[in-house]
Amino acid sequence: MKIIHILGMLLVALAVKAASPIEGLLERIDKGASRKFMIEQVKFPVDFFELDQKGDKVVIRGNNYVSIATGLNWYLKYHVGIHLSWNGM
């Protein structure tokens, strides 16, 4: 019984780890958008984001999810020309 409980907890932990809040944000913006971006979180003591490209995917790199979301907003606003607000595009 303990092993089943431990395996269940491990599966829940893996599912939570796999679901990035940024991927959820991208899917709310446009269905399938999370497949067009690569998100990389790196440890760094100062908040930052950087934009890069690998093949046909945009790479957004940052030290936390807030910085990565800021990088996504910057990319959409200044490169793509999309301004998102609470009431639509």
Side-chain angles (χ1 to χ4, degrees):
M1 183 66 181
K2 277 188 175 183
I3 291 180
I4 293 173
H5 184 69
I6 291 172
L7 287 175
M9 296 290 283
L10 184 61
L11 288 174
V12 169
L14 287 173
V16 169
K17 178 70 175 164
S20 163
I22 302 300
E23 289 177 6
L25 176 64
L26 285 165
E27 288 300 315
R28 285 193 303 272
I29 292 170
D30 184 33
K31 298 291 181 205
S34 63
R35 292 187 300 265
K36 300 174 185 174
F37 291 86
M38 291 179 65
I39 306 302
E40 296 179 1
Q41 188 173 359
V42 291
K43 292 190 179 206
F44 200 72
V46 178
D47 287 347
F48 80 99
F49 72 85
E50 25 178 65
L51 302 173
D52 198 0
Q53 184 174 355
K54 288 186 181 176
D56 62 343
K57 292 189 177 189
V58 175
V59 179
I60 305 174
R61 195 174 295 115
N63 68 317
N64 58 38
Y65 291 132
V66 173
S67 295
I68 294 169
T70 303
L72 173 62
N73 182 58
W74 198 92
Y75 172 77
L76 291 174
K77 187 173 183 179
Y78 295 107
H79 281 282
V80 183
I82 297 173
H83 177 71
L84 298 174
S85 68
W86 62 273
N87 63 347
M89 286 195 239

